[in-house]
Amino acid sequence: MSIFSSFERSIGGMLEGAFGSVFRSEVRPIEIAHKLAREMDEHRTTSVSRVYAPNEYLVWLSAEDRARYAGVEDDVTDELCAYLLEHARRQELTLTSRPIVAFNTDERLSLGEFGIQARLVQLDSEREEVGAAGAGQAAGERASTQAAQAGQTRLHSASDRAHGPGGASQQRPAQRAFVLVRDKRLAVAPGGFVIGRSRGCDLVLDDPGVSRRHVEIRLADDGWIIRDLGSTNGIFLNRSHIDSAAVLRSGDRIELGETEMVFEAS
């Protein structure tokens, strides 16, 4: 059985078993796993002969969400690390160490919002023994990973803040947005929120009328927009069919296949 299957079985058991009441919030372990894998993919760094991926991931949760992980946090982060390690192997990505996932609390986040800081960290213990012929190449690759370190952070939250490797910094808050679907209220990241059937999407819909990567919602210069990603059935916005992109307003109704959702912004 693959680590992906065992991971989902393990998390599913926790959800339905003794720890079921812990994860009633909107931030669930499997949702964090999908976002972590996407961060790993989007923050690759190419050096002379390898493709590196971030090896350290800080997950920022609201105080209420974080409290729900009390007692099982170590088990969940261990599962997330195993998930990322297998994802890196499948994508043939190089890691400078085994993935590290740590939870943190941010009082500015609301229930259901979370952010992820991905960093490429060169550990002192990571030393390769190379001959004279390979020393220059190895040094160049290490320099490339260290140079990329500061640029490997991206926030997955409606709260537009960023934390650099050297400490926290505050950015001007972006407009907050949410998608309401099937009794869930999901925060939309300003940098992009993809909806589709693929497990790599931010919102995964089990709907045969929805394409694997159907649409993307993101914050643009003129406000929030929805953009078709080449779907088969297109988008219906307030009952009208659109086939490219459109500006979203709070209260707009979005239909993808047989699924209807509501966009909110404030």
Side-chain angles (χ1 to χ4, degrees), residues 39 43 53-58 60 95-97 100 116-122 145 148-154 163-168:
E39 285 288 328
H43 290 91
N55 58 319
E56 181 176 287
Y57 300 82
L58 305 181
W60 299 87
L95 300 172
T96 60
S97 71
I100 300 169
I116 295 177
Q117 177 190 4
R119 304 194 300 191
L120 179 56
V121 179
Q122 184 75 30
T145 61
Q149 186 173 348
Q152 298 303 312
T153 300
R154 178 185 173 189
H163 298 274

Side-chain angles (χ1 to χ4, degrees), residues 5-17 19 23 28-31 33 69 75-77 79-80 83:
S5 298
S6 63
F7 172 81
E8 294 190 2
R9 285 178 178 270
S10 175
I11 293 300
M14 295 172 71
L15 288 171
E16 298 175 4
F19 305 121
F23 302 120
R28 303 178 188 277
I30 194 62
E31 294 169 339
Y69 285 85
D75 293 331
V76 173
T77 53
E79 293 283 356
L80 293 173
Y83 186 95

Side-chain angles (χ1 to χ4, degrees), residues 19 21 52 60-61 96 101 112 166 182 204 230 232 234 246-247 252 261:
F19 305 121
S21 61
Y52 287 90
W60 299 87
L61 300 168
T96 60
V101 178
R182 296 174 182 171
V204 181
T232 300
V247 176
D252 280 349
M261 60 197 74

Side-chain angles (χ1 to χ4, degrees), residues 16 21 82 91 128 163 168 172 185 191 202 234 254:
E16 298 175 4
S21 61
Q91 298 299 318
E128 295 181 273
H163 298 274
R172 183 178 180 180
R185 188 169 185 260
D202 299 289
I254 304 166

Side-chain angles (χ1 to χ4, degrees), residues 229-250:
L229 298 178
S231 68
T232 300
N233 298 320
I235 312 163
F236 282 85
L237 183 63
N238 299 321
R239 308 300 183 187
S240 297
H241 183 266
I242 61 173
D243 55 11
S244 55
V247 176
L248 287 172
R249 307 297 181 193
S250 187

Side-chain angles (χ1 to χ4, degrees), residues 164-225:
S169 62
Q170 183 72 31
Q171 294 182 344
R172 183 178 180 180
Q175 186 182 23
R176 300 176 67 181
F178 302 87
V179 168
L180 281 66
V181 56
R182 296 174 182 171
D183 299 322
K184 296 183 67 176
R185 188 169 185 260
L186 305 175
V188 178
F193 185 84
V194 177
I195 304 172
R197 287 189 296 108
S198 171
R199 289 169 50 188
C201 294
D202 299 289
L203 172 57
V204 181
L205 298 178
D206 184 14
D207 184 331
V210 174
S211 298
R212 290 182 56 79
R213 287 173 58 85
H214 200 112
V215 300
E216 179 186 41
I217 298 174
R218 66 166 51 245
L219 186 61
D221 292 340
D222 54 351
W224 291 95
I225 62 170

